[in-house]
């Protein structure tokens, strides 16, 4: 109890520090400079992807917008690389998901086992592989297809095909805007991932982190069935996005804290993005051009915060994602706030499940420093 109280007090103090950083970021909003150029590229790519997806009448226009946003990076080479990995991972996850969905949809035990394995492997690859983003998207896509098959088995192939199309649309828009607006210079080389060696040795935190992810996603079907929760697939997206952060190093004294911080940041970002989007829907935005301009403006602000030098960029990422999901609902300007509310419900239920699993596993996990002292 004392440990939990101390953790809560520490995070409460951190929340006020976060608010100061967020206010400072918003004061720095500008229409010039590299940060503004990146924000404009991301916002315009989301707008372009949305228009293309609407014209093609894909199932989930918002996923094309999110794919464009997530593929937009500060430089042209980075955008191309992330977009390519997103497509590769999505296609791989879709193929495997379609191949197995007809079996897993009718066998809940096998379904939970494969969700555990797929998520754990995907999250492990995300942390260790040089192509980690493809591993992450493969895991997310597989989970989405399998979970969707639980409620609509006959539509599995249709869902998978459209998911690939939506991702391709988003990546195309992001890469096009990258070539038009973003610099050619690739910037400094990112740190190389550690690779697959010593997974259960020096890199045991990554394995434990991946297992935490797998256990959480594995619990989605039974929890969803028992409590009749909304937005089954959105819960999976929520958990995968929260867990998509490298595990703490083997010298960390508080291995679970990074998960708590990431979950809190997602909760804050989702709340901000969802609340602002709901206010916009209340205007209402029934005309296409004002709606599209509002969408791009919200993504522009979210991208600005995402590029923050103050370690709060994840809040901007999540705010923009939920803003897109809430504002982009069907085949045109939104006419109701209910789809957005349902998606927000899935997000928050997913967060609650994740926090519960993280808390239980944090209690069971040995402290690395204590383990070392015992061995000495």
């Amino acid at each position: 109890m004392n440990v939990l109280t101390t953790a809560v007090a520490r995070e409460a103090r951190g929340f006020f520090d976060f608010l100061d950083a967020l206010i400072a970021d918003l004061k720095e909003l500008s229409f010039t400079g590299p940060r503004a150029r990146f924000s404009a590229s991301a916002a315009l790519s989301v707008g372009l992807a949305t228009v293309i997806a609407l014209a093609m009448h894909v199932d989930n226009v918002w996923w094309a917008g999110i794919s464009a946003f997530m593929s937009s990076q500060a430089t042209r080479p980075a955008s191309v690389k992330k977009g390519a990995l997103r497509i590769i991972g999505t296609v791989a996850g879709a193929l495997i998901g379609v191949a197995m969905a007809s079996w897993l949809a009718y066998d809940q035990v096998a379904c939970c086992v494969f969700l555990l394995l797929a998520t754990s492997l995907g999250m492990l690859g995300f942390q260790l592989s040089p192509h980690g983003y493809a591993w992450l998207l493969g895991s997310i896509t597989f989970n989405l297809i399998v979970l969707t098959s639980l409620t609509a088995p006959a539509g599995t192939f249709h869902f998978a095909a459209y998911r690939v199309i939506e991702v391709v649309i988003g990546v195309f828009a992001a890469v096009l805007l990258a070539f038009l607006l973003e610099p050619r210079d690739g910037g400094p080389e990112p740190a190389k991932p550690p690779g697959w060696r010593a997974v259960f040795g020096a890199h045991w935190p990554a394995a434990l982190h991946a297992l935490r992810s797998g256990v959480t996603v594995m619990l989605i079907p039974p929890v969803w069935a028992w409590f009749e929760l909304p937005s089954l697939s959105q819960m999976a997206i929520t958990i995968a996005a929260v867990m998509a952060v490298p595990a703490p190093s083997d010298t960390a004294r508080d291995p679970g804290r990074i998960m708590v911080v990431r979950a809190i940041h997602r909760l804050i970002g989702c709340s901000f993005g969802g609340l602002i989007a709901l206010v916009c829907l209340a205007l209402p935005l029934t005309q296409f051009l004002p709606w599209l301009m509002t969408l791009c403006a919200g993504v522009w602000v979210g991208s600005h915060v995402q590029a923050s030098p103050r370690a709060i960029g994840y809040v901007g990422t999540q705010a923009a994602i939920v803003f897109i999901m809430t504002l982009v609902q069907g085949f045109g300007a939104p006419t109701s706030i209910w789809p957005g509310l349902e998606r927000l419900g899935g997000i928050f239920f997913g967060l609650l499940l994740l926090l519960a699993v993280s808390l239980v596993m944090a209690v069971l996990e040995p402290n690395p420093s204590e383990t070392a002292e015992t061995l000495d």
Side-chain angles (χ1 to χ4, degrees):
M1 182 61 70
N2 291 333
V3 175
L4 181 60
T5 303
T6 302
V8 170
R10 179 181 57 195
E11 299 306 330
R13 292 193 298 270
F15 176 75
F16 290 104
D17 294 336
F18 158 77
L19 287 180
D20 291 338
L22 179 61
I23 292 173
D25 268 320
L26 294 178
K27 289 180 178 178
E28 294 173 355
L29 284 169
S30 172
F31 294 103
T32 59
R35 194 172 175 184
R37 181 170 56 192
F38 161 69
S39 301
S41 176
L44 292 175
S45 69
V46 171
L48 177 60
T50 301
V51 171
I52 295 174
L54 287 172
M56 295 181 64
H57 288 273
V58 299
D59 286 350
N60 296 307
V61 178
W62 55 271
W63 192 253
I66 289 176
S67 296
F69 173 72
M70 294 302 295
S71 299
S72 297
Q73 301 296 299
T75 64
R76 186 185 303 174
S79 296
V80 172
K81 179 180 179 180
K82 193 164 188 179
L85 291 176
R86 189 176 184 93
I87 292 176
I88 292 171
T90 299
V91 171
L95 290 174
I96 299 173
V98 169
M100 302 188 68
S102 59
W103 165 38
L104 300 181
Y106 301 99
D107 190 333
Q108 190 175 64
V109 174
C111 177
C112 292
V113 170
F114 275 91
L115 287 175
L116 170 66
L117 295 175
T119 304
S120 299
L121 182 60
M123 298 309 302
L124 195 60
F126 174 71
Q127 298 172 88
L128 303 181
S129 171
H131 309 295
Y133 194 61
W135 283 93
L136 174 65
L137 263 295
S139 174
I140 291 176
T141 304
F142 175 85
N143 291 342
L144 290 174
I145 291 173
V146 171
L147 291 172
T148 301
S149 70
L150 299 181
T151 56
T156 301
F157 179 81
H158 174 92
F159 176 84
Y162 271 89
R163 182 47 50 97
V164 173
I165 293 172
E166 290 149 12
V167 168
V168 170
I169 292 172
V171 170
F172 167 77
V175 171
L176 177 61
L177 266 297
F179 273 89
L180 294 176
L181 297 179
E182 295 171 2
R184 297 180 181 179
D185 182 16
E189 287 291 329
K192 292 184 178 180
W196 294 90
R197 302 174 66 180
V199 173
F200 299 104
H203 300 148
W204 74 265
L208 189 60
H209 180 68
L211 180 61
R212 183 190 294 114
S213 309
V215 170
T216 307
V217 176
M218 178 188 71
L219 292 176
I220 290 180
V223 170
W224 171 77
W226 293 338
F227 296 100
E228 299 182 358
L229 299 178
S231 300
L232 176 62
S233 61
Q234 180 53 39
M235 290 177 64
I237 299 174
T238 298
I239 293 168
V242 174
M243 302 304 293
V245 58
S249 67
D250 55 353
T251 59
R253 291 186 177 274
D254 189 1
R257 184 172 185 268
I258 193 171
M259 284 297 95
V260 176
V261 172
R262 178 54 65 100
I264 291 174
H265 281 191
R266 182 177 176 89
L267 181 61
I268 295 172
C270 290
S271 299
F272 281 173
L275 179 61
I276 294 172
L278 291 177
V279 171
C280 292
L281 290 176
L283 292 179
L285 291 172
T286 56
Q287 299 298 316
F288 182 80
L289 188 57
W291 165 71
L292 187 62
M293 293 177 63
T294 302
L295 174 65
C296 293
V299 174
W300 187 83
V301 175
S303 300
H304 174 83
V305 177
Q306 179 182 256
S308 171
R310 299 178 178 87
I312 62 169
Y314 190 66
V315 175
T317 303
Q318 298 308 312
I321 288 175
V322 174
F323 186 82
I324 295 169
M325 292 181 64
T326 307
L327 217 59
V328 181
Q329 297 182 7
F331 300 111
T335 58
S336 171
I337 67 172
W338 290 111
L341 288 173
E342 182 181 4
R343 292 169 187 167
L344 286 175
I347 289 173
F348 287 111
F349 279 122
L351 280 173
L352 290 175
L353 181 59
L354 171 63
L355 289 173
V357 172
S358 297
L359 181 60
V360 171
M361 294 193 69
V363 172
L364 298 178
E365 290 172 14
N367 187 300
S369 60
E370 293 178 354
T371 303
E373 293 174 359
T374 302
L375 293 176
D376 292 339

